[in-house]
Amino acid sequence: MKTRILALAFAATAALTLGACNDNTFLTETPIDFVGPGNFYNNATDALAAVNGAYAGLENTSGSNYYGGLFVMLVEFPTEMQTPYLSATNERSLVDNYTFTPSHNYIYQSWLGAYSIINRANGVIARVPGISMDATLRDRVVGEAKFLRALNYFNLVRLFGGVPLETAETNSLDSLQKPRATTADVYALIVQDLTDAIKVLPKGSTYGSSDIGRASRGAAKSLLAKVYIQRAAVGGGTPADYQSALTQLQDVDATEGYSLVANFSDLFDMKHEVNSEVIFDIQCTRITGAGCHVSNQVAPRNSNYGTSQNGSFTAEQGFYDEFVVADKRRVATWQLSFVNKAGAVILWDPTQTASKPYGADTPYMHKFLDSLSTTDDEANYIILRYGDNLLMESEAINEISGPTAAAYAPINAVRARAGLPALLAGLSKSAFKDSVFHERRLELAMEGPNGYFDSQRNWLWAKTRIQASMALGALNKFKNNKYPKAQTSLIDKFMLMPIPQRAIDINPQLAGKQNPGW
């Protein structure tokens, strides 16, 4: 799909009329490759170009925004897993330390990134059904667009709660002036979109090599399971949602053919990007300007990887210490060595500090680093994979019936692949839940991204860990007291991000509708 998404996404950009909105809307701009004249949607090629334009928004809405970096930072830095290790006033540190405000750029860019893709998907959903083309392909394209719309509304509802619901393509500024919908209404649309998508999307293995990376039936089922679990825990759902999630997960087990890859490191190696475990990922490429831009964010400072070495993601000391040496995920998750600009191999060890050759007090993130790239564009970014499904399965079973043997089996499969023994038997329901969330941290750090959203579902557990990490920083446990971590009290307002202040300023119908506490 790398070549396909490049060629056809660029074709969509060229073929569709450029359109833009002014600041009378809750979006500052309409995606430039989305709003097209009615005569664009003439045939199957146009339909594919349009939906590929929606996929392209995941890669690179604008520079390093959205999944290219800012959304990942917004969701991962608030955990106890990773830190940018910068001054307290740096915009990344504001997220890391919970000292951000509704005016923070990452919050607004994530809002824009999601609505940009929703806008493109809405056009596909509205216009493609009217094209005279193969019916199966037509339905699949619409199903892909509904999957993408659901994914992006899911990001929005998890970040902000109820948000304006736009289900029509944007052709006028007035249509963007919408009030916040309820959280329940947003979730209802997501569930309906994914239910529709499941009916028409094919099994992932049936896609040809030129279509690898498109949303599949298994991806829609897996995302729907994630939606049900999140709604059950913090989205106003009911305990029945856990059973709905489990039904989807078990159906994926039975019908979609996914399995854990034997070697965890292979998940982040470009030679093995197409494998039995990845269910949905963003297709990227080393071609300049077409990658996901995460690699330059994880590349160690002073390394010889790519053209930019931002070293934005480094381990929180306490979290890194939780990776026992026997855990095979340790070397795949953390950059324990790298090649510097002079060609020398720099090794991590506990004596390293920011002022020494390694350049950081704790290890840099290794996931999604493409050490062979000569640009800032790199390998695929994973959003859904089977290891995540297994851990969701353990979570759902525990919520339904407690830590039964059936609940233990999926998490133990994940641990076995990591080279770890089975989870301690005889745990209470609450202790088992905490163990599942801890395993999610070790297994899925920086992926998805999942961090902040997982914290929402087990908030007391998460904030205890986060505040403990903040305390370690204040006590100079990061070795270099140049950037001590803030000691923020994690009150319940932090369970949601604030509605972006600029969105409120632009859209009068959002005035006075900020999330509680903000």
Side-chain angles (χ1 to χ4, degrees):
M1 188 177 172
K2 295 178 188 294
T3 302
R4 179 200 57 76
I5 200 167
L6 282 169
L8 289 181
F10 290 153
T13 303
L16 295 177
T17 300
L18 304 185
C21 296
N22 63 26
D23 282 355
N24 292 324
T25 74
F26 70 85
L27 298 176
T28 57
E29 60 183 5
T30 301
I32 62 171
D33 59 352
F34 167 67
V35 180
N39 63 4
F40 171 74
Y41 290 86
N42 288 322
N43 51 46
T45 298
D46 294 347
L48 288 167
V51 77
N52 289 341
Y55 282 106
L58 296 170
E59 284 189 26
N60 184 18
T61 300
S62 176
S64 63
N65 299 345
Y66 208 30
Y67 281 97
L70 302 190
F71 173 56
V72 179
M73 293 177 185
L74 181 64
V75 174
E76 293 295 305
F77 283 152
T79 71
E80 77 291 358
M81 294 186 285
Q82 299 171 74
T83 178
Y85 204 66
L86 296 167
S87 65
T89 58
N90 184 277
E91 61 183 355
R92 295 173 191 175
S93 296
L94 296 176
V95 176
D96 187 42
N97 293 328
Y98 284 85
T99 52
F100 54 85
T101 71
S103 298
H104 197 286
N105 183 50
Y106 293 5
I107 297 172
Y108 188 53
Q109 292 299 330
S110 295
W111 174 280
L112 290 180
Y115 274 115
S116 170
I117 297 172
I118 289 166
N119 213 15
R120 302 177 196 193
N122 284 342
V124 174
I125 294 165
R127 293 181 179 270
V128 168
I131 297 176
S132 178
M133 57 184 287
D134 177 78
T136 300
L137 177 58
R138 179 194 62 212
D139 292 346
R140 192 202 81 192
V141 167
V142 173
E144 291 177 69
K146 287 191 174 184
F147 172 88
L148 292 169
R149 184 168 72 176
L151 172 63
N152 287 280
Y153 269 125
F154 188 40
N155 288 341
L156 288 170
V157 76
R158 289 184 293 178
L159 285 171
F160 307 112
V163 295
L165 273 182
E166 182 61 75
T167 57
E169 65 177 324
T170 301
N171 290 314
S172 70
L173 302 180
D174 291 342
S175 68
L176 291 174
Q177 298 290 325
K178 297 235 175 145
R180 292 183 71 174
T182 66
T183 297
D185 285 344
V186 180
Y187 269 107
L189 175 63
I190 295 167
V191 169
Q192 187 60 61
D193 272 354
L194 291 173
T195 301
D196 292 345
I198 289 168
K199 295 175 182 176
V200 295
L201 291 178
K203 187 174 181 178
S205 60
T206 66
Y207 278 122
S209 59
S210 63
D211 286 315
I212 292 171
R214 291 191 182 277
S216 66
R217 186 180 65 192
K221 292 175 182 177
S222 299
L223 182 58
L224 182 55
K226 191 178 284 285
V227 168
Y228 280 133
I229 283 179
Q230 196 77 15
R231 185 170 72 173
V234 292
T238 69
D241 280 335
Y242 286 114
Q243 182 58 58
S244 296
L246 183 59
T247 298
Q248 293 297 326
L249 294 166
Q250 291 176 334
D251 187 51
V252 171
D253 290 341
T255 65
E256 302 304 322
Y258 300 108
S259 62
L260 296 178
V261 298
N263 183 2
F264 182 81
S265 295
D266 285 350
L267 290 165
F268 312 100
D269 184 336
M270 288 187 72
K271 297 190 296 293
H272 304 283
E273 285 181 319
V274 179
N275 58 64
S276 64
E277 184 165 350
V278 172
I279 298 173
F280 182 73
D281 59 353
I282 301 173
Q283 299 292 298
C284 304
T285 176
R286 287 177 176 153
I287 297 174
T288 301
C292 298
H293 306 287
V294 175
S295 188
N296 70 308
Q297 298 295 347
V298 300
R301 300 176 186 111
N302 302 317
S303 71
N304 194 35
Y305 305 147
T307 58
S308 301
Q309 298 80 33
N310 287 304
S312 300
F313 295 88
T314 58
E316 298 271 15
Q317 183 69 56
F319 183 60
Y320 172 71
D321 290 343
E322 292 175 0
F323 283 79
V324 299
V325 174
D327 192 333
K328 296 176 182 178
R329 297 170 297 197
R330 181 172 175 265
V331 296
T333 301
W334 306 112
Q335 189 76 33
L336 301 183
S337 69
F338 67 85
V339 179
N340 70 8
K341 292 183 183 298
V345 176
I346 305 299
L347 301 177
W348 160 257
D349 67 63
T351 69
Q352 292 294 327
T353 67
S355 62
K356 291 186 176 182
Y358 187 85
D361 287 4
T362 54
Y364 293 109
M365 172 61 67
H366 180 260
K367 285 181 179 178
F368 305 115
L369 174 67
D370 181 1
S371 62
L372 299 179
S373 178
T374 58
T375 72
D376 287 339
D377 305 283
E378 76 300 309
N380 298 350
Y381 183 78
I382 298 169
I383 295 179
L384 299 169
R385 66 176 170 90
Y386 189 62
D388 185 359
N389 279 25
L390 289 174
L391 294 173
M392 286 194 290
E393 202 166 326
S394 287
E395 181 180 349
I397 294 171
N398 186 55
E399 293 294 337
I400 295 166
S401 53
T404 62
Y408 269 90
I411 188 174
N412 281 342
V414 171
R415 289 176 61 83
R417 194 259 301 270
L420 299 179
L423 191 63
L424 182 67
L427 294 175
S428 67
K429 182 176 183 177
S430 61
F432 184 88
K433 177 178 180 176
D434 291 350
S435 295
V436 170
F437 276 82
H438 183 247
E439 204 66 42
R440 290 184 64 80
R441 294 295 212 224
L442 297 173
E443 177 78 11
L444 300 168
M446 200 175 166
E447 294 181 54
N450 287 290
Y452 175 67
F453 302 139
D454 281 1
S455 293
Q456 291 170 330
R457 298 203 307 283
N458 200 359
W459 180 240
L460 293 178
W461 172 86
K463 74 177 185 179
T464 298
R465 289 172 58 87
I466 295 164
Q467 292 192 302
S469 187
M470 288 177 171
L472 284 175
L475 292 171
N476 197 22
K477 296 298 184 182
F478 290 154
K479 306 173 198 168
N480 179 350
N481 64 5
K482 183 178 180 181
Y483 301 130
K485 288 182 69 68
Q487 296 295 285
T488 308
S489 177
L490 299 191
I491 57 179
D492 285 351
K493 80 169 188 177
F494 288 115
M495 289 185 71
L496 287 175
M497 294 286 173
I499 297 294
Q501 185 59 49
R502 191 172 182 197
I504 293 174
D505 293 341
I506 289 168
N507 181 0
Q509 297 206 55
L510 296 180
K513 304 298 183 182
Q514 183 57 274
N515 283 328
W518 291 101

